[in-house]
Amino acid sequence: MWLPSEDPQHTVRGNLKKSQIPEVGYVKILDGGNESLLLVKNEKIIAAWNLNVKSLEETYESKAMNRIKVSSESRIEVYKLDDNMFSTIVDLNEECKLPLPSEIDFLIEKADTDRQDVLSKYRIRDPSVDDIDNLLNDYKSKIGGR
């Protein structure tokens, strides 16, 4: 994906929140062996690009959206652009445009997923202290009974 040689205004790094997304700009995600860039306008992702750093395989559009990975170790950078620069970048990266823009919530949901969200989504509860004590006592009684 072509980006300007001089970095635009850097607005945030780290955990992503909807309030940190500019009206016009791009989001850069570095996660392990993947680098992803998303062009954002009015809370919608309008273009996507992904690069697998190891194989140097580039993907565009919906395929790139599917390859986006956001983990707690990911480095997320958000850049604000002016309308002219944004239009230029969109024109130069025509192959990256999505057939239908995606809501920015797609990315925020990926970035905000934490352990508690996953546990509640799959209705898994953490074992209580009593549960662990019961398991240990049960285990000790089986071992001691041999």
Side-chain angles (χ1 to χ4, degrees), residues 109-132:
E109 286 170 11
K110 280 190 165 214
D112 284 344
T113 303
D114 66 2
R115 185 174 190 273
Q116 290 304 322
D117 292 340
V118 173
L119 291 175
S120 67
K121 179 179 178 181
Y122 294 102
R123 295 188 177 107
I124 300 169
R125 66 177 184 91
D126 280 329
S128 68
V129 173
D130 290 337
D131 291 335
I132 294 171

Short mmCIF file of all heavy atoms in Angstrom, two decimals, residues 109-132:
data_model
loop_
_atom_site.label_atom_id
_atom_site.label_comp_id
_atom_site.label_asym_id
_atom_site.label_seq_id
_atom_site.Cartn_x
_atom_site.Cartn_y
_atom_site.Cartn_z
N GLU A 109 -13.86 -4.34 18.16
CA GLU A 109 -14.21 -5.60 18.81
C GLU A 109 -13.01 -6.53 18.85
O GLU A 109 -12.77 -7.20 19.84
CB GLU A 109 -15.38 -6.27 18.09
CG GLU A 109 -16.70 -5.58 18.36
CD GLU A 109 -17.81 -6.08 17.46
OE1 GLU A 109 -17.62 -7.10 16.76
OE2 GLU A 109 -18.87 -5.44 17.46
N LYS A 110 -12.24 -6.58 17.77
CA LYS A 110 -11.04 -7.42 17.75
C LYS A 110 -10.01 -6.94 18.77
O LYS A 110 -9.37 -7.72 19.43
CB LYS A 110 -10.40 -7.43 16.36
CG LYS A 110 -11.07 -8.34 15.40
CD LYS A 110 -10.21 -8.47 14.15
CE LYS A 110 -10.68 -9.64 13.35
NZ LYS A 110 -9.64 -10.34 12.67
N ALA A 111 -9.87 -5.63 18.89
CA ALA A 111 -8.85 -5.07 19.77
C ALA A 111 -9.26 -5.14 21.24
O ALA A 111 -8.42 -5.26 22.11
CB ALA A 111 -8.58 -3.61 19.39
N ASP A 112 -10.57 -5.05 21.51
CA ASP A 112 -11.02 -5.00 22.90
C ASP A 112 -11.27 -6.35 23.53
O ASP A 112 -11.59 -6.43 24.70
CB ASP A 112 -12.31 -4.17 23.01
CG ASP A 112 -12.02 -2.68 22.91
OD1 ASP A 112 -10.86 -2.31 23.07
OD2 ASP A 112 -12.96 -1.92 22.68
N THR A 113 -11.17 -7.42 22.78
CA THR A 113 -11.46 -8.73 23.33
C THR A 113 -10.45 -9.04 24.43
O THR A 113 -9.25 -8.99 24.23
CB THR A 113 -11.38 -9.80 22.24
OG1 THR A 113 -12.29 -9.45 21.21
CG2 THR A 113 -11.73 -11.16 22.77
N ASP A 114 -10.96 -9.34 25.60
CA ASP A 114 -10.09 -9.75 26.69
C ASP A 114 -10.58 -11.06 27.26
O ASP A 114 -11.60 -11.61 26.83
CB ASP A 114 -9.95 -8.66 27.75
CG ASP A 114 -11.25 -8.40 28.50
OD1 ASP A 114 -12.25 -9.08 28.22
OD2 ASP A 114 -11.25 -7.52 29.37
N ARG A 115 -9.89 -11.57 28.23
CA ARG A 115 -10.19 -12.88 28.81
C ARG A 115 -11.62 -12.97 29.32
O ARG A 115 -12.33 -13.93 29.04
CB ARG A 115 -9.20 -13.17 29.94
CG ARG A 115 -9.32 -14.54 30.54
CD ARG A 115 -8.19 -14.77 31.54
NE ARG A 115 -8.16 -16.14 31.94
CZ ARG A 115 -8.88 -16.64 32.95
NH1 ARG A 115 -9.68 -15.85 33.63
NH2 ARG A 115 -8.81 -17.92 33.26
N GLN A 116 -12.08 -11.95 30.04
CA GLN A 116 -13.43 -11.97 30.60
C GLN A 116 -14.49 -12.00 29.51
O GLN A 116 -15.50 -12.69 29.62
CB GLN A 116 -13.65 -10.76 31.52
CG GLN A 116 -12.87 -10.82 32.81
CD GLN A 116 -13.17 -12.10 33.61
OE1 GLN A 116 -14.29 -12.57 33.65
NE2 GLN A 116 -12.14 -12.66 34.21
N ASP A 117 -14.25 -11.26 28.40
CA ASP A 117 -15.20 -11.26 27.29
C ASP A 117 -15.32 -12.65 26.67
O ASP A 117 -16.41 -13.12 26.37
CB ASP A 117 -14.79 -10.26 26.21
CG ASP A 117 -14.91 -8.82 26.67
OD1 ASP A 117 -15.64 -8.57 27.64
OD2 ASP A 117 -14.27 -7.97 26.05
N VAL A 118 -14.18 -13.28 26.47
CA VAL A 118 -14.18 -14.62 25.87
C VAL A 118 -14.87 -15.62 26.80
O VAL A 118 -15.69 -16.43 26.36
CB VAL A 118 -12.74 -15.08 25.54
CG1 VAL A 118 -12.72 -16.53 25.10
CG2 VAL A 118 -12.13 -14.19 24.48
N LEU A 119 -14.55 -15.56 28.09
CA LEU A 119 -15.17 -16.48 29.05
C LEU A 119 -16.68 -16.30 29.08
O LEU A 119 -17.43 -17.28 29.06
CB LEU A 119 -14.59 -16.27 30.45
CG LEU A 119 -13.13 -16.69 30.65
CD1 LEU A 119 -12.66 -16.31 32.05
CD2 LEU A 119 -12.94 -18.17 30.41
N SER A 120 -17.16 -15.06 29.09
CA SER A 120 -18.60 -14.85 29.14
C SER A 120 -19.28 -15.20 27.82
O SER A 120 -20.39 -15.72 27.81
CB SER A 120 -18.93 -13.41 29.55
OG SER A 120 -18.53 -12.52 28.56
N LYS A 121 -18.60 -14.96 26.70
CA LYS A 121 -19.18 -15.28 25.40
C LYS A 121 -19.46 -16.77 25.29
O LYS A 121 -20.49 -17.19 24.77
CB LYS A 121 -18.22 -14.84 24.28
CG LYS A 121 -18.73 -15.17 22.90
CD LYS A 121 -17.76 -14.71 21.83
CE LYS A 121 -18.27 -15.08 20.45
NZ LYS A 121 -17.35 -14.67 19.42
N TYR A 122 -18.54 -17.60 25.78
CA TYR A 122 -18.71 -19.04 25.70
C TYR A 122 -19.27 -19.64 26.99
O TYR A 122 -19.25 -20.84 27.18
CB TYR A 122 -17.37 -19.70 25.33
CG TYR A 122 -16.94 -19.31 23.93
CD1 TYR A 122 -15.97 -18.35 23.72
CD2 TYR A 122 -17.57 -19.88 22.83
CE1 TYR A 122 -15.60 -17.97 22.44
CE2 TYR A 122 -17.20 -19.51 21.55
CZ TYR A 122 -16.22 -18.56 21.36
OH TYR A 122 -15.87 -18.19 20.08
N ARG A 123 -19.75 -18.76 27.87
CA ARG A 123 -20.37 -19.16 29.14
C ARG A 123 -19.46 -20.06 29.97
O ARG A 123 -19.89 -21.07 30.53
CB ARG A 123 -21.71 -19.83 28.88
CG ARG A 123 -22.72 -18.89 28.26
CD ARG A 123 -24.08 -19.52 28.18
NE ARG A 123 -25.04 -18.58 27.65
CZ ARG A 123 -25.54 -18.65 26.42
NH1 ARG A 123 -25.18 -19.60 25.61
NH2 ARG A 123 -26.43 -17.76 26.02
N ILE A 124 -18.22 -19.70 30.01
CA ILE A 124 -17.24 -20.42 30.83
C ILE A 124 -17.03 -19.59 32.08
O ILE A 124 -16.79 -18.38 32.00
CB ILE A 124 -15.90 -20.58 30.08
CG1 ILE A 124 -16.12 -21.37 28.80
CG2 ILE A 124 -14.86 -21.23 30.97
CD1 ILE A 124 -14.92 -21.37 27.86
N ARG A 125 -17.09 -20.21 33.22
CA ARG A 125 -16.86 -19.45 34.45
C ARG A 125 -15.53 -19.89 35.05
O ARG A 125 -15.12 -21.03 34.93
CB ARG A 125 -18.00 -19.62 35.45
CG ARG A 125 -18.14 -21.01 36.00
CD ARG A 125 -19.26 -21.02 37.06
NE ARG A 125 -19.34 -22.33 37.66
CZ ARG A 125 -18.68 -22.69 38.75
NH1 ARG A 125 -17.89 -21.85 39.35
NH2 ARG A 125 -18.80 -23.90 39.23
N ASP A 126 -14.87 -18.94 35.66
CA ASP A 126 -13.63 -19.25 36.36
C ASP A 126 -13.95 -20.13 37.56
O ASP A 126 -14.95 -19.91 38.24
CB ASP A 126 -12.95 -17.98 36.86
CG ASP A 126 -12.17 -17.26 35.77
OD1 ASP A 126 -11.67 -17.95 34.86
OD2 ASP A 126 -12.07 -16.03 35.83
N PRO A 127 -13.09 -21.11 37.86
CA PRO A 127 -13.34 -21.92 39.06
C PRO A 127 -13.16 -21.06 40.31
O PRO A 127 -12.27 -20.22 40.37
CB PRO A 127 -12.28 -23.03 38.98
CG PRO A 127 -11.25 -22.52 38.05
CD PRO A 127 -11.91 -21.55 37.13
N SER A 128 -14.03 -21.30 41.27
CA SER A 128 -13.92 -20.56 42.53
C SER A 128 -12.86 -21.22 43.40
O SER A 128 -12.36 -22.31 43.11
CB SER A 128 -15.26 -20.57 43.26
OG SER A 128 -15.56 -21.88 43.69
N VAL A 129 -12.53 -20.59 44.50
CA VAL A 129 -11.57 -21.15 45.46
C VAL A 129 -12.10 -22.48 45.98
O VAL A 129 -11.36 -23.46 46.12
CB VAL A 129 -11.30 -20.15 46.61
CG1 VAL A 129 -10.45 -20.78 47.69
CG2 VAL A 129 -10.64 -18.89 46.06
N ASP A 130 -13.41 -22.54 46.25
CA ASP A 130 -14.03 -23.79 46.73
C ASP A 130 -13.92 -24.90 45.69
O ASP A 130 -13.65 -26.06 46.03
CB ASP A 130 -15.50 -23.57 47.09
CG ASP A 130 -15.67 -22.71 48.34
OD1 ASP A 130 -14.72 -22.66 49.16
OD2 ASP A 130 -16.75 -22.11 48.50
N ASP A 131 -14.14 -24.55 44.40
CA ASP A 131 -14.01 -25.55 43.34
C ASP A 131 -12.60 -26.14 43.31
O ASP A 131 -12.42 -27.35 43.18
CB ASP A 131 -14.33 -24.94 41.97
CG ASP A 131 -15.78 -24.56 41.80
OD1 ASP A 131 -16.64 -25.16 42.49
OD2 ASP A 131 -16.06 -23.67 40.98
N ILE A 132 -11.61 -25.28 43.42
CA ILE A 132 -10.22 -25.74 43.39
C ILE A 132 -9.91 -26.59 44.62
O ILE A 132 -9.29 -27.65 44.51
CB ILE A 132 -9.25 -24.54 43.27
CG1 ILE A 132 -9.46 -23.87 41.90
CG2 ILE A 132 -7.80 -24.97 43.46
CD1 ILE A 132 -8.75 -22.56 41.72
#
